[in-house]
Amino acid sequence: MRLWIKDPLAILAPDADRGIVVDGSKIVECVPRGLTPAQPWEATFDASRHVVLPGLINAHHHFYQTLTRAHPAGFGQELLPWLAAMERVWDRMTPDALRIAVRLALVELLLSGCTTAADHHNIFPPELGRAIDIEVEEATKLGMRMTVTRGSMGISEKDGGLQPDSIVQDSDSILEDSERVLKRFHDRKPGAMIRIALAPCSPLAVPQRVMKESAKLAERHDARLHCHLCQSVDEDAYAMQAFGKRSVDLLEESGWLASRSWVAHGVHFNDDEIIRLGLAGVGVAHCAAADMAFGVGVCPARELEAAGVAIGLGVDGSASNDSSNMIEAARHALMLQRMRYGHAAFSPYDALRWATEGSARCLGRDDIGFIAPGFEADLALYKLDEPRFSGAQDPIAALVLCGAHRADRVIVAGRWRVVDGMPENVDLDALIARHKAAARAFG
Ligand SMILES: [Zn+2]
């Protein structure tokens, strides 16, 4: 059915003043000023009160952490001790708890205008062997697009590492399950709803064999590679102490300085590393809220972009952000970058570009993140009828500058997933009640 999303209040797309036409899962036409669609249409949606954006794309997260937001175990701690404390809470995760955490995180993201999410699931207590399957099932049920990253940690306290023994796996188990989920779920086709990426927690958290073999597996299956990289100076110090090298050097030695890799945070690179990352085509998921929460520094977005690095945005773990809101992430990123570079360096349009095209590049996708014929029909529609928007002159910039936090309508692959601010086919009150009940086990 051809649907004309007609006469938007504003739309982030070239030559689409009169809206766009969606057919099946795709955008088939942009309608310029003064015209009507070239082909007949069967339905019309009046978008005259909506600002239309490409669906936002979350390039880094840890869904399971929704169960441990604002958790006192982490209060007053710097990043590494916070992680150590929280990992001793997360190791209670069960398949049922993970399922409800994933469902809540996906709905929370969707309501903010997010249509594609990457989740970095990196804890594997013994019961959670099918964690990736759970994420795929929940995203499919909800009709959201995902890159599910098969995370891993392999160096625990007994080997001199930072992680508790209870959440790590041996190298063979990690690699076997990585191959299993690639074979079972990874869809390389354009328009894919589910893709798998391989994601050791960081080059410091697994034996180098896991990094190297993951790179080979990813190449064989044409999949992406993802990890945390250079978030804090403590991490730098640990890399030198434990490995005698910097994290970027470890990445390079493992075959990860490649265009199929994107990394989370990327705060502490030296000039030479930025050039090397750009030449290799590595992407960076800028996680502004989490970086602010831990006071670790500011991702050098200007130098990274100048070097050719794609900048995407991630809300990061819900226990460090502590929310999962993608349109808020654009505001956080803009404000934080202006702290480093000044007011003129980046505009609200840059922040939205990072949250859409930039994140799409991080995930290796050229079929989402932009409104144009041939792209997937993933769209976020916002109303500007709250007091915070009243008086705004530029409706698109207003979403970022005035602090939009909830989409009124969301389309994923041509299907309405949010209508009048509510998720389709989800009992939101019941979901929150179940999620709160599940969270009690982590108190
Ligand atoms: Zn993270």
Side-chain angles (χ1 to χ4, degrees), residues 176-218:
E176 277 166 29
D177 195 53
S178 296
E179 183 147 35
R180 179 186 73 82
V181 297
L182 280 168
K183 283 183 177 160
R184 177 130 195 239
F185 300 119
H186 184 51
D187 182 356
R188 295 160 56 187
K189 292 191 291 293
M193 295 301 287
I194 299 290
R195 286 193 179 161
I196 299 291
L198 300 185
C201 190
S202 89
L204 315 177
V206 292
Q208 214 174 6
R209 177 179 158 230
V210 172
M211 292 294 289
K212 287 182 174 168
E213 292 297 320
S214 296
K216 288 182 196 159
L217 267 177

Side-chain angles (χ1 to χ4, degrees), residues 60-62 64-65 83 120 122 201 226-228 231 264-265 287 290 315-317 320:
H60 184 70
H61 204 166
H62 308 281
Y64 62 87
Q65 295 180 6
L83 259 176
H120 191 170
N122 55 2
C201 190
H226 181 52
C227 67
H228 294 96
Q231 184 179 5
H265 301 287
C287 301
V315 301
D316 201 6
S320 58

Side-chain angles (χ1 to χ4, degrees), residues 58 61-63 65-67 69 101-114 142 144 315-318 321-328 405-407 410 418 423 426 428 431-432 435:
N58 179 21
H61 204 166
H62 308 281
F63 287 171
Q65 295 180 6
T66 56
L67 292 162
R69 300 186 226 244
V102 168
R103 196 176 299 168
L104 191 288
L106 284 169
V107 167
E108 187 185 0
L109 286 165
L110 188 61
L111 290 173
S112 74
C114 175
L142 199 62
M144 264 185 88
V315 301
D316 201 6
S318 300
N321 179 326
D322 291 30
S323 74
S324 317
N325 190 307
M326 260 315 284
I327 190 70
E328 282 184 356
H405 62 110
R406 192 152 174 173
V410 178
V418 173
V426 175
L428 193 55
L431 172 59
I432 293 169
H435 186 267

Side-chain angles (χ1 to χ4, degrees), residues 100-315:
I100 203 73
V102 168
R103 196 176 299 168
L104 191 288
L106 284 169
V107 167
E108 187 185 0
L109 286 165
L110 188 61
L111 290 173
S112 74
C114 175
T115 52
T116 299
D119 188 48
H120 191 170
H121 183 84
N122 55 2
I123 54 162
F124 284 87
E127 263 193 83
L128 269 192
R130 291 291 185 266
I132 301 305
D133 308 52
I134 290 171
E135 299 217 349
V136 171
E137 285 161 21
E138 288 300 315
T140 304
K141 227 184 284 174
L142 199 62
M144 264 185 88
R145 232 180 266 285
M146 264 195 87
T147 293
V148 186
T149 82
R150 203 293 179 191
S152 55
M153 290 188 267
I155 305 176
S156 65
E157 282 165 333
K158 68 174 162 35
D159 304 313
L162 301 172
Q163 283 77 39
D165 300 338
S166 52
I167 56 171
V168 307
Q169 291 180 303
D170 64 73
S171 300
D172 287 338
S173 303
I174 293 167
L175 294 167
E176 277 166 29
D177 195 53
S178 296
E179 183 147 35
R180 179 186 73 82
V181 297
L182 280 168
K183 283 183 177 160
R184 177 130 195 239
F185 300 119
H186 184 51
D187 182 356
R188 295 160 56 187
K189 292 191 291 293
M193 295 301 287
I194 299 290
R195 286 193 179 161
I196 299 291
L198 300 185
C201 190
S202 89
L204 315 177
V206 292
Q208 214 174 6
R209 177 179 158 230
V210 172
M211 292 294 289
K212 287 182 174 168
E213 292 297 320
S214 296
K216 288 182 196 159
L217 267 177
E219 192 164 351
R220 212 177 309 144
H221 290 266
D222 190 19
R224 310 284 293 172
L225 291 164
H226 181 52
C227 67
H228 294 96
L229 202 73
C230 298
Q231 184 179 5
S232 71
V233 283
D234 293 4
E235 207 180 310
D236 268 353
Y238 176 73
M240 290 308 291
Q241 173 217 316
F243 295 87
K245 291 177 182 142
R246 289 178 58 81
S247 296
V248 174
D249 295 327
L250 284 168
L251 213 64
E252 183 159 33
E253 284 173 17
S254 309
W256 278 55
L257 269 197
S259 58
R260 69 175 67 254
S261 301
W262 91 103
V263 300
H265 301 287
V267 175
H268 296 283
F269 297 130
N270 63 34
D271 294 348
D272 170 62
E273 288 167 346
I274 288 173
I275 300 297
R276 285 155 65 200
L277 291 164
L279 287 172
V282 174
V284 169
H286 176 26
C287 301
D291 293 345
M292 285 191 277
F294 286 104
V296 291
V298 184
C299 169
R302 189 158 73 180
E303 289 81 358
L304 286 166
E305 287 206 308
V309 172
I311 300 287
L313 299 186
V315 301

